[in-house]
Amino acid sequence: YFQAVREISERMLKAGNGSFELSPVSADQVEGLAVKCDKACFVCLFNNQTTPIITNISLPECAAPHEGLTVTAYHPDERKYEELAPSRIGDVGLTLPGIAIAAQGELILILEVQ
């Protein structure tokens, strides 16, 4: 578990050159925390329920360009990455619908401008 935490911590430090800023996140039925690190945004999600959840994530302050944005899901328990596609990018913020999180599971979304 600590290797997974260190892996994400190192990515955050590199992306933000040691500078972080909390950012609002809205997610149905799960706990969430978003941190902006320069041009990257890391979103930590936790499903504290005993059943899997499919939720929509809204990031009103993680401004995203209409091109060149990658969204990667990191599964810390398995230490596996999965590429996702942002489906709705508005003038302000970003919405990621249909994000699946296992029961009692954690998921970290990594949004990066290339």
Side-chain angles (χ1 to χ4, degrees):
Y1 177 80
F2 291 109
Q3 288 179 333
V5 171
R6 183 175 180 179
E7 186 173 335
I8 292 300
S9 174
E10 288 175 356
R11 285 189 71 167
M12 290 175 73
L13 286 168
K14 183 178 178 183
N17 293 318
S19 178
F20 308 105
E21 180 183 337
L22 288 177
S23 183
V25 59
S26 174
D28 300 328
Q29 303 175 337
V30 298
E31 296 178 38
L33 172 73
V35 178
K36 287 171 52 176
C37 305
D38 194 26
K39 293 183 180 180
C41 189
F42 293 78
V43 184
C44 304
L45 302 168
F46 177 65
N47 174 10
N48 61 6
Q49 299 183 36
T50 57
T51 58
I53 296 284
I54 296 177
T55 187
N56 300 323
I57 309 298
S58 177
L59 302 159
E61 291 184 14
C62 283
H66 291 278
E67 295 180 14
L69 177 73
T70 62
V71 180
T72 306
Y74 179 66
H75 304 271
D77 292 339
E78 304 166 12
R79 295 187 60 207
K80 292 185 179 177
Y81 290 90
E82 172 188 7
E83 295 297 318
L84 303 178
S87 66
R88 285 190 297 228
I89 300 173
D91 292 334
V92 177
L94 174 70
T95 300
L96 301 166
I99 302 296
I101 306 172
Q104 299 292 312
E106 297 173 297
L107 183 68
I108 299 171
L109 301 176
I110 306 163
L111 295 78
E112 298 176 286
V113 176
Q114 300 301 314

